[in-house]
Amino acid sequence: MKILDTARLVLRTVEAADAPFYLELVNDPDFLRHIGDRGIRTLEAARTHIDNGPVRMQAALGHAIWLVAHKESGAPIGMCGLIKRDTLPEVDLGYAFLPGWRGQGYAVEAARAVVGYARERLGLARLLAITSPHNTASGALLEKLGLRFDKIVHLTQEDPGTRLYAMQLCATA
């Protein structure tokens, strides 16, 4: 299901048929280094994770991490969307792109559209985002969008520290 489109991109819900792309993305060395190892090594595991993660979250909350496709070619190039984690008090912006599509403005284009969706369609008052401490590119992208570094948080007992960013989207009543 199409959620958003931009000049160059279409953001849509993730489905089981996207498992080959998903498997490639979550095993990219930069994904593993900056986001973490999800332990997904097979197409079946990718399908299961898609069903139990983005598909279930979309059905329950009306938002999730979405597949980002190149509008002209239709190729899946990354993921970007809104995630509600048990470890954070509010919804956060998440994104990851395949190496061949980085550095061309696609992440910021997709993320801007998602921030607009969070503000205008969902009416969220505040938006969070997290990055690993050494992921300076991701931090710069978040700041370009208007998020600001808030503090270091520990999402699990084993987490040595994650950078938390935040931004106000709408005035609170």
Side-chain angles (χ1 to χ4, degrees), residues 88-120:
L88 293 175
E90 291 147 330
V91 172
D92 76 284
L93 170 68
Y95 51 87
F97 285 77
L98 291 172
W101 299 95
R102 294 181 196 143
Q104 300 171 59
Y106 293 117
V108 74
E109 185 175 331
R112 271 198 183 116
V114 170
V115 169
Y117 185 91
R119 177 185 291 117
E120 295 150 23

Side-chain angles (χ1 to χ4, degrees), residues 77-155:
I77 66 171
M79 297 187 71
C80 186
L82 300 166
I83 305 163
K84 179 58 190 102
R85 300 174 202 271
D86 293 337
T87 53
L88 293 175
E90 291 147 330
V91 172
D92 76 284
L93 170 68
Y95 51 87
F97 285 77
L98 291 172
W101 299 95
R102 294 181 196 143
Q104 300 171 59
Y106 293 117
V108 74
E109 185 175 331
R112 271 198 183 116
V114 170
V115 169
Y117 185 91
R119 177 185 291 117
E120 295 150 23
R121 300 275 299 279
L122 299 178
L124 297 181
R126 190 167 126 101
L127 184 64
L128 304 177
I130 55 174
T131 68
S132 64
H134 304 294
N135 191 345
T136 55
S138 197
L141 186 150
L142 293 172
E143 292 190 358
K144 184 183 273 192
L145 295 171
L147 286 100
R148 297 293 172 245
F149 173 74
D150 185 39
K151 61 186 174 183
I152 297 289
V153 295
H154 301 275
L155 302 176

Side-chain angles (χ1 to χ4, degrees), residues 12 50 57 74 133 137 143 148 155 169:
R12 65 166 175 81
I50 288 168
M57 186 175 291
E143 292 190 358
R148 297 293 172 245
L155 302 176
L169 294 176

Side-chain angles (χ1 to χ4, degrees), residues 21-38 40-41 96-100 102 132 134-135:
F21 157 76
Y22 195 80
L23 182 64
E24 180 183 2
L25 181 68
V26 301
N27 286 291
D28 170 66
D30 286 331
F31 188 103
L32 294 169
R33 180 173 37 261
H34 294 301
I35 297 172
D37 189 347
R38 303 291 186 249
I40 300 168
R41 301 290 184 264
F97 285 77
L98 291 172
R102 294 181 196 143
S132 64
H134 304 294
N135 191 345

Side-chain angles (χ1 to χ4, degrees), residues 35-88:
I35 297 172
D37 189 347
R38 303 291 186 249
I40 300 168
R41 301 290 184 264
T42 66
L43 286 175
E44 186 56 37
R47 281 189 285 277
T48 298
H49 194 268
I50 288 168
D51 286 342
N52 292 335
V55 169
R56 185 173 287 169
M57 186 175 291
Q58 182 71 35
L61 302 176
H63 61 78
I65 192 86
W66 299 308
L67 184 135
V68 178
H70 188 259
K71 192 179 268 186
E72 190 175 302
S73 69
I77 66 171
M79 297 187 71
C80 186
L82 300 166
I83 305 163
K84 179 58 190 102
R85 300 174 202 271
D86 293 337
T87 53
L88 293 175

